[in-house]
Structures are given as C-alpha cells and as structure tokens.
Amino acid sequence: MTTLLSDLPDDVLLLILDKLDTRDAVRCSLLSRRWSRVPGMLANIELDVDSFAPDPDDDHDDGFTSTLSESARSNHAMVRAVQSILAAHESRHAIRRLGLSFFSRDESVGIVRAVDDAMARGRRIHDLWFTVSSEKPELLCAGRDVARQGARLASYRDKYPRVFAGLTRLHVECVKLGAPRVSAVSEMI
C-alpha cells in the first residue's frame, strides 16, 4: 500500500514541513489546493531578506523592480512573503517562533503591519523577533542615515505598539534614537 503525501493528516504534514526552512515550506504550498493553507499553519516562521536576493541569472524585467537596487528588490520580496504568510486564514494556529530579518526601508512597514494584523486577528506569537539592518555597511552609515532609520523605527513603534510590546528580541543596525525614544522602545521590549 502506497501512502501519498497528500493523504497525510495535517499534523503529520506540519511536522514534516516544520523541518524545512520557511521558504521551502511555503513553496510546498503550491503543490496542491489542500497544501495552500499550510503557510498559515506553520509554527516556526523565519525569513531573512538575504534569502530573497535576486537570482543573477534571472533576466526578467518588469520595468519597476529592475530599476531598484538588489537590496530593495530583496526587501520588496520579503514584504510580500510576510504579508502572504501572515494573511493566511488559519489564524487559530499559534506561532511558536516568528523571526524576521529585513532592511530598514519605507516599504518595511508592510512587514510590521502584517504582524500587527495577525495579532489583531488573535494570532498568538510566543517568540517574536526582528533584525532590522541597513542596506549600507555599518561603517558607511552617515549621521543622516542613522537618524532617518531611527525615526522610521520610532514611527513603527508609535503606529504598531502591539507588535513592539510582543517583541522578545530586537536587533537594529545603523540606528540612532533620541533619549526619550530609546526609553520608549526599551520599555516596549
């Protein structure tokens, strides 16, 4: 008797998919209609912007993303992936670990908003962490860059306090926060 993967119960399927990295597990969701809900059921979700780096052999030109830097294209793809995974209708499944590493850019608010939306729908996240990086190496970050990134992070905290209250870890690079902002962010974590 042969057992097909599609015949496995959800809990067994999730045990198998939980062994894969998040991107591969999400790719599996494309295999069948039944598996399309799998990303919303994953207990451990870890996504890193570096894993979304454009393929140098891909010559696809959509007229928009090709004009962006490689970092910007990776970050846009990361935002779409997080939104897709967290928008899944299976909100009854708690997330054991949600780790997201992304660049500090304007579109990154979509990541924070997606986490906030999931939490607002009742999605429990036990271990939530962000790694927010600069597109530039830390040694090349000018005062203007670190101030802009600090202001962006503070605006995320002000707009989405639920997310920052739920953070268990926050790592930021090239960010300068004023004294009142630092205490406000550290109180939220």
Side-chain angles (χ1 to χ4, degrees):
M1 178 176 164
T2 304
T3 302
L4 299 173
L5 278 175
S6 59
D7 294 334
L8 295 173
D10 283 350
D11 56 337
V12 174
L13 180 62
L14 285 171
L15 283 172
I16 293 168
L17 293 176
D18 212 28
K19 303 289 184 209
L20 300 174
D21 75 14
T22 303
R23 285 198 68 193
D24 289 337
V26 170
R27 286 183 183 130
C28 289
S29 71
L30 302 173
L31 296 175
S32 76
R33 184 173 299 154
R34 177 176 174 241
W35 286 31
S36 66
R37 67 179 197 263
V38 166
M41 297 167 60
L42 294 172
N44 298 304
I45 301 169
E46 293 187 33
L47 292 171
D48 188 321
V49 68
D50 291 336
S51 68
F52 290 91
D55 183 354
D57 297 330
D58 185 10
D59 60 357
H60 174 71
D61 181 1
D62 65 5
F64 169 68
T65 54
S66 63
T67 63
L68 297 174
S69 70
E70 195 172 294
S71 298
R73 287 187 284 166
S74 298
N75 213 50
H76 277 280
M78 173 78 177
V79 170
R80 287 190 305 273
V82 171
Q83 290 170 334
S84 175
I85 291 170
L86 294 181
H89 64 280
E90 292 290 335
S91 64
R92 63 186 164 84
H93 295 277
I95 298 173
R96 197 174 320 129
R97 182 177 54 250
L98 177 58
L100 304 172
S101 299
F102 53 93
F103 291 122
S104 176
R105 293 180 42 89
D106 289 339
E107 71 274 357
S108 300
V109 70
I111 292 170
V112 182
R113 184 183 312 117
V115 173
D116 187 68
D117 289 346
M119 293 170 100
R121 288 190 318 271
R123 193 88 184 256
R124 289 185 321 276
I125 303 171
H126 299 288
D127 183 15
L128 172 61
W129 55 268
F130 288 163
T131 299
V132 185
S133 303
S134 170
E135 291 179 85
K136 296 179 181 179
E138 201 157 354
L139 292 173
L140 297 178
C141 288
R144 168 179 81 225
D145 296 324
V146 296
R148 182 176 54 237
Q149 292 180 171
R152 185 179 294 130
L153 182 64
S155 75
Y156 293 171
R157 189 212 38 102
D158 293 344
K159 192 167 184 177
Y160 301 103
R162 174 183 17 236
V163 173
F164 280 80
L167 279 172
T168 54
R169 286 180 276 168
L170 173 64
H171 176 85
V172 294
E173 297 174 359
C174 294
V175 172
K176 179 179 180 180
L177 297 168
R181 297 282 191 200
V182 171
S183 63
V185 170
S186 63
E187 286 173 15
M188 299 289 292
I189 299 175

